């Protein structure tokens, strides 16, 4: 199957919970909404007539608030939940008509899932969690562990393969979750709010990593989230769900320029986070730091160690003094002068609480990462151009 | 005022006793071979285990308890204390009685496990089975321990074998309940994940549910062992040998000292068995769940305080 061809087709998917499904369905046909159906028949409408396509090689994002039915949709794709009606086709195969053993085979080879709270087995270490999919498939131990190790290295967990799941942080646990899904080499990844349980900084790293993995392995991903920023950052195409229905389906640009209704507009408006994120959220610790009393030799050493062509200078009270570049440091050493006169003292600085929107103009023309400085003038961290830009995407 | 208002009318009489008597008579006559087979089978099993237990030299058993306690409780003081307590049983001249008690307990616990574990797994998987077994378990647990002696005696007579049967039945509920509970409380997302990765039902059970439930199952085993120990003592009333029979004899002859030393031996045995098996499942607990591990730590420190 070529990239861009439809790999997953969901048509008129309906999922109802309750006894009186027939009359509920008739009410839905007449156009009654979720509340009305629940009041009249006692049936909960989880998913109401949802249709969409996912093309091979793309990330398709389903977004909606909790209770909008998005998790039910993704569980219908691998039949963890039985749809009430509708048709799901994966690689021209009707999922609903699969026999029990065919379904197990489908889950083992075609669609692997990543879970919000990771769903990892705490009695197994990282390696055997990652190899689980191959294990149930009956792949030999050596072979499956070799494959698992490859994927573990790819998600950046090498060295952790024999560790217990409990010793890992949330971000690392989800890396294990993703590795477990990738080890099966599935045709499609089903990701059910995989990053929602992670804190914002880790979440951003993971989003970035997911994108790079996706590009490397050319995986089709059906991604569920309630975070519009995440949807915009990751999604090639996005569908917004409310009350079990898709209300708009398109690319991020289409949605931003032409929202289907006020609900979508509100959702998209909430996306611009440049007024919410502060410098302290996106800053990192500077890797090379020197003191004003240090000589030029020290400064050069510090830069050599980190490989950067500039270093941040602080005084004895951790107050930010300025930036010293490699050229200036070399000049200072050649002329055997104290570095003080070479420090660029008017380097850009911002407060920890400055919002990203305000930092942006500075970031556009700054030569060095911007210093984040508190009221006492102490250096708290630095914000790179890349960090400012990625916080917006 | 007619008399029947204040006193239960004698004219109403439901004769259950005779029916039961006839039923038991029928069974003992017609199912004789069946019960004989059970008795012979169980007796040889029990003898085998007893032989095994009594072939362990006293110093080796004490050493085993020392090493196990050290490994599981990680406290030298406890290890010394428990070995010393075991030594005291021997010093009181009750070593062989203790061996017999251990043999009956072991036999019953093995039987309880063999019967209870599969039932626990079954009722965790099937709501139907659950609705049948649960009320039976409730009934079993409200029934006084003595009542279990009656059918055992009636069908199998006096001795160690009916004691094993009564003990097995008495000790069955906790292992069933906690196996069931352990499997049901496995994180739903973990089960879902295993299903999503294409596990068959059997793979799910063996590779995910049982290992995840193991700490709880071990807690059930601990309770089963403790209940078996208490029942073995009661079973001396129907002729089970061991420490319990010493207690019974002491009661009959009003030999307070003899009763006390046998009683204290039972307590020592209970403490050692309890602590070691508890240590095992708490260790497992710690491995599988961070939250519960911290709970365990706090409990452990509480214990340490008490021992100071």
């Amino acid at each position: 199957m070529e990239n861009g061809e439809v790999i997953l087709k969901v048509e008129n998917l309906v999922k109802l919970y309750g006894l009186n499904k027939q009359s509920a369905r008739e009410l839905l046909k007449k156009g009654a909404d979720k509340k009305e159906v629940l009041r009249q028949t006692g049936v909960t409408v989880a998913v109401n007539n949802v249709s969409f396509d996912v093309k091979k090689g793309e990330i398709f994002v389903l977004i909606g608030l909790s209770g909008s039915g998005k998790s039910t949709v993704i569980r219908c794709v691998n039949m963890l939940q039985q749809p009430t009606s509708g048709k799901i086709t994966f690689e021209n195969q009707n999922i609903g008509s699969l026999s029990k053993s065919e379904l197990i085979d489908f889950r083992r080879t075609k669609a692997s899932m990543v879970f919000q709270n990771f769903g990892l087995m705490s009695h197994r270490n990282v390696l055997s969690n990652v190899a689980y999919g191959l294990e149930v498939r009956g792949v030999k131990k050596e072979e499956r562990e070799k494959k698992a190790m490859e994927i573990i290295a790819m998600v950046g967990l090498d060295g952790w393969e024999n560790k217990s799941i409990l010793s890992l942080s949330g971000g690392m646990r989800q890396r294990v979750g993703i590795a477990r899904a990738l080890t099966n080499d599935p045709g499609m990844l089903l990701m059910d709010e995989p990053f929602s349980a992670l804190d914002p900084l880790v979440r951003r790293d993971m989003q970035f990593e997911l994108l790079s993995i996706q590009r490397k392995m050319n995986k089709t991903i059906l991604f569920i989230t309630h975070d519009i920023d995440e949807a915009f950052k990751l999604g090639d195409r996005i569908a917004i769900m409310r009350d079990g229905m898709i209300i708009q389906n398109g690319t991020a640009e289409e949605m931003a320029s032409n929202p289907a209704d006020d609900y979508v507009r509100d959702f998209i408006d909430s996306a611009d986070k440049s007024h919410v994120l502060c410098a302290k959220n996106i800053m990192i610790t500077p890797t090379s730091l020197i003191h004003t009393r240090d000589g030029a030799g020290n400064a050069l050493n510090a830069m050599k160690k980190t490989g950067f062509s500039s270093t941040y200078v602080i005084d004895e009270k951790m107050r930010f003094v300025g930036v010293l570049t490699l050229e200036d440091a070399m000049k200072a050493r050649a002329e055997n002068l104290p570095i003080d006169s070479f420090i660029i003292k008017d380097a850009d600085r911002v407060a920890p609480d400055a919002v990203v929107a305000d930092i942006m103009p500075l970031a556009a023309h700054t030569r060095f990462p911007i210093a984040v400085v508190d009221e006492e003038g102490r250096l708290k961290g630095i914000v790179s151009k890349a960090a400012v830009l990625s916080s917006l995407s | 005022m007619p008399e029947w208002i204040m006193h239960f009318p004698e004219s109403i009489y439901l004769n259950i006793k005779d029916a039961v008597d006839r039923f038991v008579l029928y069974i003992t006559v017609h199912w004789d071979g069946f019960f004989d087979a059970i008795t012979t089978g169980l007796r040889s099993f029990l003898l085998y285990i007893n032989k095994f237990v009594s072939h362990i030299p006293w110093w080796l058993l004490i050493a085993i308890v020392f090493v196990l306690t050290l490994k599981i409780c990680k406290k030298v003081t406890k290890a010394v204390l428990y070995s010393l307590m075991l030594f005291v049983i021997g010093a009181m001249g009750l070593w062989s009685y203790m061996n017999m008690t251990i043999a009956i307990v072991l036999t019953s616990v093995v039987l309880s496990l063999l019967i209870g574990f599969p039932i626990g797994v079954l009722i965790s998987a099937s709501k139907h089975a659950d609705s049948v077994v649960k009320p039976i378990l409730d009934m079993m647990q409200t029934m006084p321990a003595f009542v279990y002696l009656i059918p055992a005696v009636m069908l199998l007579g006096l001795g160690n074998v009916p004691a094993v049967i009564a003990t097995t039945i008495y000790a069955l509920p906790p292992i069933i309940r906690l196996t069931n509970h352990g499997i049901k409380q496995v994180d739903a997302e973990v089960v879902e994940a295993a299903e999503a990765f294409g596990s068959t039902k059997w793979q799910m059970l063996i590779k995910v549910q049982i290992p995840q439930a193991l700490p709880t199952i071990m807690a059930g085993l601990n309770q089963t062992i403790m209940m078996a120990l208490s029942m073995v003592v009661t079973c001396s009333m129907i002729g089970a040998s061991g420490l319990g029979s010493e207690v019974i004899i002491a009661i009959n002859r009003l030999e307070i000292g003899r009763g006390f030393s046998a009683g204290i031996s039972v307590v020592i045995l209970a403490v050692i068995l309890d602590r070691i098996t508890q240590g095992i499942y708490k260790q497992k607990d710690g491995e599988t769940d961070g939250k519960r591990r911290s709970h365990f730590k706090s409990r452990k420190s509480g214990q340490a305080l008490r021992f100071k």
Side-chain angles (χ1 to χ4, degrees), chain A residues 22-283:
Chain A
Q22 196 50 45
S23 51
R25 210 171 310 175
E26 272 157 28
L27 269 178
L28 282 176
K29 256 183 210 148
K30 281 183 206 149
D33 68 355
K34 196 176 167 173
K35 259 187 214 150
E36 185 67 21
V37 174
L38 181 64
R39 200 179 60 79
Q40 287 199 21
T41 62
V43 170
T44 309
V45 183
V47 178
N48 181 8
N49 204 16
V50 161
S51 304
F52 61 90
D53 300 332
V54 179
K55 299 190 183 106
K56 188 167 165 56
E58 76 170 346
I59 302 183
F60 187 90
V61 178
L62 269 179
I63 179 166
L65 300 177
S66 56
S68 61
K70 54 196 191 311
S71 290
T72 312
V73 171
I74 205 168
R75 277 171 176 70
C76 285
V77 172
N78 61 358
M79 289 278 160
L80 285 179
Q81 288 184 13
Q82 207 76 24
T84 308
S85 68
K87 191 176 165 196
I88 296 170
T89 325
F90 184 87
E91 289 179 344
N92 304 320
Q93 200 176 20
N94 183 356
I95 304 302
S97 66
L98 296 179
S99 71
K100 224 178 196 177
S101 62
E102 282 172 332
L103 179 62
I104 283 179
D105 208 48
F106 169 79
R107 287 171 177 164
R108 285 176 178 176
T109 55
K110 296 294 168 64
S112 293
M113 197 153 172
V114 179
F115 293 83
Q116 181 173 2
N117 297 309
F118 325 129
L120 299 173
M121 295 156 222
S122 51
H123 65 281
R124 290 166 164 250
N125 63 12
V126 171
L127 181 63
S128 63
N129 260 290
V130 172
Y132 183 80
L134 295 179
E135 186 182 326
V136 294
R137 224 194 272 182
V139 176
K140 281 208 191 69
K141 193 171 165 114
E142 276 165 41
E143 202 178 319
R144 68 179 189 241
E145 290 192 342
K146 189 172 152 238
K147 173 81 186 166
M149 284 305 294
E150 276 170 32
I151 306 285
I152 286 174
M154 203 182 73
V155 299
L157 281 176
D158 27 357
W160 291 84
E161 61 271 8
N162 292 320
K163 290 274 175 4
S164 148
I165 294 298
L166 296 164
S167 64
L168 306 184
S169 66
M172 292 170 111
R173 287 184 196 191
Q174 196 54 295
R175 276 169 208 262
V176 178
I178 291 172
R180 176 173 66 177
L182 288 172
T183 305
N184 270 7
D185 199 18
M188 183 168 198
L189 282 183
L190 305 171
M191 305 186 86
D192 182 20
E193 301 209 28
F195 306 145
S196 299
L198 307 177
D199 60 62
L201 286 175
V202 178
R203 192 184 309 167
R204 257 191 328 194
D205 284 351
M206 295 293 286
Q207 288 163 350
F208 177 75
E209 206 137 326
L210 180 67
L211 281 175
S212 69
I213 287 172
Q214 197 257 348
R215 264 164 222 151
K216 211 184 301 170
M217 300 185 77
N218 189 31
K219 287 285 172 221
T220 314
I221 299 177
L222 176 57
F223 193 99
I224 303 270
T225 180
H226 61 248
D227 176 0
I228 187 78
D229 295 297
E230 191 165 71
F232 279 4
K233 188 187 276 183
L234 299 176
D236 294 309
R237 288 188 304 135
I238 299 160
I240 295 194
M241 283 189 76
R242 181 169 65 159
D243 290 346
M245 286 189 284
I246 288 182
I247 40 182
Q248 190 168 10
N249 182 346
T251 62
E253 288 86 346
E254 280 166 22
M255 281 196 186
S257 57
N258 193 13
D261 61 11
D262 287 345
Y263 185 79
V264 178
R265 193 172 295 122
D266 282 350
F267 230 126
I268 288 165
D269 283 347
S270 70
D272 187 5
K273 269 211 182 152
S274 68
H275 295 278
V276 184
L277 278 179
C278 300
K280 66 181 173 203
N281 299 130
I282 58 173
M283 71 186 182

Side-chain angles (χ1 to χ4, degrees), chain A residues 104 108 132 136, chain B residues 194-195 197-206:
Chain A
I104 283 179
R108 285 176 178 176
Y132 183 80
V136 294
Chain B
E195 199 185 349
F197 278 88
S199 315
T200 58
K201 280 216 161 125
W202 187 245
Q203 284 172 329
M204 172 91 82
L205 192 66
I206 300 293

